[in-house]
Amino acid sequence: MGEQVPSPVQVRLDELHARVQLNCEGEVATYIPALGKADPALFGLALATHDGHVYESGDTGVGFTIQSVSKPFVYALALYDRGLNGVLERVGVEPTGEGFDALRLEPETGRPLNPMVNAGAIVTASLVNGDDWGQRFQRILDGLSAFAGRELRVDHEVLASEERTGDHNRALGYLLRNAGVLEGDVDKALAVYFRQCSVVVTARDLAVMGATLAGGGVNPVTGQRVVGADTTEHVLAVMATCGTYDFAGEWLLRAGLPAKSGVAGGLVAVLPSQLGIGVFSPPLDRRGTSVRAIAACQELSARFGLHLMRPVNRTAPVLHRFLRGDSLSSQRSRRHAEREILQANSGQIAICELQGDLGFAAADVAVRAIADGLDGVRWLVLDLHRVGRAEPVAVDLLDTLVGELRERGVGTAVAAEDGESPVIAEASFRSLDEALEWCEDALIAQECPPSERAGLDPAAHVPLGEQDLLRDLPAEMIDVLTPLVVERRLAPGEPLFEPGDRPDETLYFVVSGGLIAQQVSGDEVIRMASMGPGTTVTRLTLVDDRNPYRIVAEEPTVLQVLSQTVQKRLEDEHPQVVEALHWAMARGLAARLRQADAQNHALLGSAVPVER
Ligand SMILES: NC(=O)CC[C@H](N)C(=O)O
């Protein structure tokens, strides 16, 4: 498969963006006149994952001033520079239940209630490192740039506009200095705060900034550490309780994500350890939060199962493995011609093994790893055996991916507990081996030369002279063996061996139908291997002197049996035939050992565990 598979996450994000775009409620902010010029139709929605993948839909590259969305990030810098207690002395962490411009200070300490309202943000900006106000602002600009992963700049038109209309904040500044929580020149402190609010970002930037908070302070796109994990923990806690001001309670209930809004229409939301969301759309509700941002985040949270309080979201994204079929093969005994076809085309089969609870983040990593690893793949095995809870969003993303793959000629077989696949696929099985076998059968049917198709048909009748074990014996030896074998028919489920039987040197050639090896423990029966037409059951096949498995017919089966007694007689009459038989068995065993060795390397070598 050559064409890149569209990401199911991108498909869902675009659908959501289109729905929310239709919501035209709200008004563009004008109390800072320059903000009133914004186009109310603009709407950008971005999602950045813990491993640095950024999904974007709509106007995610359009610049706007960060405004109050800057506050949690500057709070992070102040915490990183001064420590939690150093900041707590000046700024509280309690929600106000009032708007962003509330005048309220704590009566006994004079502290602003939290760093997300203007009063708290003005103090926080004064607490970042810097010998003077210019250095403090540079620390803020560099810090915001590091969170975004690119160099940011100030919009001087908006800055001038806010400076002309900023008396309310200046009054706050004098109240704060009077209360002893803001030190130095109030106008210079306000100048830093106004410049901080006038830094230009995009929805994509906010998503990456949010993902940096989600990832414990490391920017997942640049890999740069901006602040420590303790700091991000504190910041996210305060965002969760105070980030949307007097809307914080309903926001946490419905979106369930620590977030911070801004009057230019920006909003950042974070799912700790998993992702950041950045939204930009200027029309605001009466509390100063972007109407489309609220709708988008609430719908994202619901559809992607992102609510912080959802059990699955308290576990980190899980490891999964993605293996290519280059040396992986099922436990089905196959004829030489089948093995050759598989060997020549084994890159067409891939196995993706998922483990743990599948929330959005784990499913996103899995679908991306699958989509990125499918070059040349025609059949995919999705092993969900080790998956615990699978959120609806995870099933939806996997369903969407399987559908996209099907349209591109890639068939999927799912291996799941009891064969009950939550994902809609071409086939589902109880075991990984059966799923892999299905892919191999499909590949053989697809790649088998027309001249050999009849002979390799699983329903084929394979006479003694075409049995795989005897393929190198000359015709005259086959003529010696033909009258010596005895036909034996097995009904479906009829055993050839029971666990513990002591097999002798008798050879069982499968002429038609097929056998399966089952491990029986109590009521549990596990399918361990299968043997199709043209293959031979020998003492070596059974692995051990004491056969550990039950060998039964999977369907009506015809065998041709060369007993040990007859072989003993053959040693006297046709020793060269017996020698050729033994060589053939040794070659078959060597081929199985090589296959097992290659498989071992594939499992140990090419498996690519995806680091969380
Ligand atoms: N909520 C906001 O985004 C307000 C920020 C704006 N600069 C102000 O101080 O009023």
Side-chain angles (χ1 to χ4, degrees), residues 222-300:
T222 63
Q224 182 191 353
R225 172 167 291 286
V226 185
V227 293
D230 290 351
T231 297
T232 56
E233 192 179 294
H234 298 144
V235 171
L236 290 170
V238 178
M239 285 171 76
T241 56
C242 309
T244 48
Y245 313 120
D246 48 344
F247 182 55
E250 187 170 346
W251 171 271
L252 194 55
L253 176 77
R254 295 189 190 285
L257 295 165
K260 183 70 203 82
S261 57
V263 288
L267 183 137
V268 65
V270 178
L271 179 55
S273 89
Q274 297 196 31
L275 54 90
I277 298 168
V279 197
F280 165 54
S281 191
L284 308 177
D285 67 6
R286 62 182 178 76
R287 294 187 175 103
T289 302
S290 165
V291 172
R292 292 194 182 107
I294 294 172
C297 286
Q298 289 183 354
E299 187 169 341
L300 264 178

Side-chain angles (χ1 to χ4, degrees), residues 31-32 66-69 71 100-101 118 162 169 193-194 197 245 260-264 288:
Y31 79 99
I32 300 173
I66 193 171
Q67 299 299 335
S68 286
V69 185
K71 294 171 177 174
F100 62 81
D101 54 0
N118 288 6
E162 178 149 28
N169 284 326
Y193 169 72
F194 288 147
C197 288
Y245 313 120
K260 183 70 203 82
S261 57
V263 288

